[in-house]
Amino acid sequence: MKVMRTGISGPRWLLAALLCWSLAAGLCWHCGLALWHPLGGLYAQPAGEEGEAEASATQKISQTKVSLQAEYGFENFNRDRLQVQYRAPQAAYQSYRAGFGYSRTELGAIDAWHDAARQKALRQANASHLSQAQFDASLEALQAERDRKVREHLAARGFKLRPGNTIEADVPGLVRRSAAPLKSVALAFD
């Protein structure tokens, strides 16, 4: 791991590294569908308040057959330009990536289950001559079960479902999940 820094030392580096990681991870998400983007290239995103000089965050990721190299840069509140570079084994990256993110296919499987369960409930309601109120209650229970499954799936993958069907990263949860894998990195910064 190669770390370049300006004006920051000690434990603040861990904070800077985690901030950089979360910023870079945020650059990967688009329109509520969190999928890992293809590796490679340089991505820059303007930052800063309206009327201020724009700062930027950068991310450059490249790979070989055995490793992944990442370079992140951003400007902190003191206007110090910070950069972090590291190289990680592909196997470690793939292992971490397997437990994070979600796809339309995975959520589609939950919706397919929900649709099938609603059709089954309709058939059972007709066969049992249930009232409309009874049928509506069974549909409400199925909707609650679908919502629970979606929340649990997203939580297991590092996200939270918010009102209005908005999905957001569970940053505190991601930090907790990442503590053990990043312990050696934190010790290196310390």
Side-chain angles (χ1 to χ4, degrees), residues 161-167:
L161 183 62
R162 293 292 184 201
N165 240 5
T166 301
I167 298 171

Side-chain angles (χ1 to χ4, degrees), residues 57-76:
T58 60
Q59 168 183 281
K60 183 178 181 183
I61 300 176
S62 57
Q63 66 181 335
T64 67
K65 288 182 180 183
V66 295
S67 69
L68 169 77
Q69 180 172 326
E71 299 175 30
Y72 300 109
F74 65 97
E75 195 171 286
N76 70 7

Side-chain angles (χ1 to χ4, degrees), residues 21-177:
W21 173 84
S22 63
L23 178 62
L27 296 174
C28 298
W29 301 323
H30 179 67
C31 298
L33 180 63
L35 297 173
W36 288 94
H37 59 83
L39 294 176
L42 177 67
Y43 181 87
Q45 172 178 319
E49 297 293 324
E50 245 182 80
E52 290 182 2
E54 281 192 355
S56 67
T58 60
Q59 168 183 281
K60 183 178 181 183
I61 300 176
S62 57
Q63 66 181 335
T64 67
K65 288 182 180 183
V66 295
S67 69
L68 169 77
Q69 180 172 326
E71 299 175 30
Y72 300 109
F74 65 97
E75 195 171 286
N76 70 7
F77 298 109
N78 295 328
R79 297 280 191 219
D80 296 325
R81 182 77 186 147
L82 305 175
Q83 292 182 312
V84 176
Q85 295 178 339
Y86 68 88
R87 188 177 305 259
Q90 279 282 2
Y93 174 70
Q94 295 302 334
S95 172
Y96 181 76
R97 191 176 140 182
F100 182 78
Y102 65 93
S103 69
R104 289 184 194 269
T105 303
E106 293 166 341
L107 294 179
I110 295 172
D111 286 337
W113 166 85
H114 184 236
D115 289 342
R118 287 178 19 192
Q119 292 300 319
K120 182 178 177 182
L122 177 60
R123 287 191 302 274
Q124 289 175 339
N126 286 332
S128 303
H129 306 289
L130 296 180
S131 69
Q132 185 65 46
Q134 292 170 316
F135 178 62
D136 290 346
S138 67
L139 290 182
E140 285 179 30
L142 286 173
Q143 183 65 43
E145 178 70 7
R146 180 222 172 260
D147 293 346
R148 183 192 63 76
K149 287 178 181 247
V150 168
R151 281 191 310 275
E152 287 178 357
H153 177 73
L154 291 173
R157 307 294 287 173
F159 293 89
K160 290 181 181 180
L161 183 62
R162 293 292 184 201
N165 240 5
T166 301
I167 298 171
E168 72 180 23
D170 176 13
V171 175
L174 290 171
V175 170
R176 282 189 300 278
R177 283 172 60 175

